[in-house]
Amino acid sequence: MIFRQLFDPVSSTFTYLLADRHGGEALIIDPVLENVSYYSQLVRELDLKLVMAVDTHIHADHITGAGHLREVSKCMYAMGEQTRAECVSHHFKDNDALVVGKLVLRAWYTPGHTDDSYSFVMKDRVFTGDTLLIRGTGRTDFQNGDAGAQYDSIFGRLLTLPDNMLVYPAHDYQGRTSSSIIEERVYNPRLQVHTREQYIEQMNALVLDPPAKIAEALPANMSCGFKQAA
Ligand code: FE
């Protein structure tokens, strides 16, 4: 398998490029607009054909590159059926399989950070978006975030995956790149709660500044990353 974890230093976003082989079809998860030419170059250099760009959710901290990648490489732009982003070309739902070459990613609806958040499960790894971060969880205070739903997504679904399953989140702000289900269950401070109510209280007590780019990113991401005319 070809697997590249790419990093956008401005928004601390991870973008993942996956393919089953050189010369094969590729999928990209959570591309960032400013890096589209880099992704396109890498796809060319690895002799891949980009067939699908996926966003785990509508991002508030960066503008998606998926719409522009679709223009450049004629790939499909896929998001979950709950998304309010317009112009997405394929909507998946909970438990749908995203198939790219011989790769299969199972889409799991994992709301909480937003109401359109998905995770993607493979045999040995899971892409958790902002639902489950390394030693953290995504904020739930805007974009129809819901701490209770996030508890259900994490405790009811993601933590049911095998202990050694690798965890690849959409962000990290401290230089960490991956984790595993058991590490997060044991060491993630947000997950050391005894009840759903405790988790909700903990999330509701957070006082966080809005993401720097939210005013620009949200409207742009509603239209696939194309900035709207003023
Ligand atoms: Fe997010």
Side-chain angles (χ1 to χ4, degrees):
M1 179 170 79
I2 295 171
F3 172 73
R4 296 295 163 91
Q5 182 179 33
L6 311 168
F7 185 64
D8 176 60
V10 178
S11 60
S12 296
T13 300
F14 289 125
T15 299
Y16 300 96
L17 179 68
L18 294 129
D20 65 344
R21 61 182 172 86
H22 287 276
E25 296 184 339
L27 163 141
I28 196 164
I29 300 173
D30 287 336
V32 176
L33 176 62
E34 286 77 8
N35 307 331
V36 161
S37 57
Y38 167 53
Y39 307 142
S40 299
Q41 184 187 342
L42 185 58
V43 163
R44 263 197 314 279
E45 288 169 352
L46 295 175
D47 190 25
L48 299 174
K49 178 174 170 40
L50 187 67
V51 297
M52 194 182 293
V54 180
D55 274 316
T56 50
H57 61 290
I58 293 183
H59 297 279
D61 61 341
H62 68 267
I63 297 176
T64 179
H68 287 78
L69 278 172
R70 181 171 60 186
E71 299 249 299
V72 176
S73 51
K74 308 290 175 235
C75 66
M76 180 188 283
Y77 179 12
M79 284 190 76
E81 61 179 353
Q82 292 81 0
T83 191
R84 277 179 292 280
E86 295 158 9
C87 82
V88 169
S89 42
H90 174 71
H91 291 93
F92 47 79
K93 58 184 191 309
D94 188 38
N95 274 322
D96 277 358
L98 305 183
V99 180
V100 173
K102 291 195 174 99
L103 298 181
V104 180
L105 285 79
R106 186 68 57 182
W108 277 12
Y109 181 45
T110 52
H113 170 62
T114 67
D115 61 359
D116 67 348
S117 289
Y118 272 75
S119 299
F120 302 107
V121 184
M122 296 182 75
K123 278 203 177 86
D124 65 342
R125 65 196 67 200
V126 55
F127 301 95
T128 53
D130 290 354
T131 304
L132 177 61
L133 303 174
I134 301 173
R135 308 303 190 260
T137 57
R139 63 195 296 171
T140 55
D141 56 336
F142 55 72
Q143 289 185 275
N144 296 320
D146 181 328
Q150 190 173 53
Y151 177 91
D152 297 337
S153 295
I154 294 172
F155 284 86
R157 297 203 77 176
L158 293 175
L159 293 186
T160 69
L161 289 166
D163 283 355
N164 60 354
M165 182 79 92
L166 294 168
V167 171
Y168 286 100
H171 295 286
D172 192 82
Y173 305 93
Q174 296 179 44
R176 299 165 298 202
T177 53
S178 65
S179 182
S180 67
I181 291 295
I182 190 165
E183 276 172 75
E184 293 314 309
R185 186 189 299 120
V186 175
Y187 297 115
N188 189 321
R190 293 257 176 96
L191 307 188
Q192 308 313 307
V193 292
H194 299 294
T195 64
R196 191 175 190 267
E197 285 62 40
Q198 262 183 3
Y199 186 80
I200 294 170
E201 273 171 35
Q202 166 185 240
M203 295 307 288
N204 290 346
L206 297 175
V207 180
L208 302 165
D209 291 332
K213 279 196 182 178
I214 187 168
E216 181 192 8
L218 278 185
N221 287 338
M222 296 297 281
S223 52
C224 294
F226 294 96
K227 290 179 192 175
Q228 291 164 325

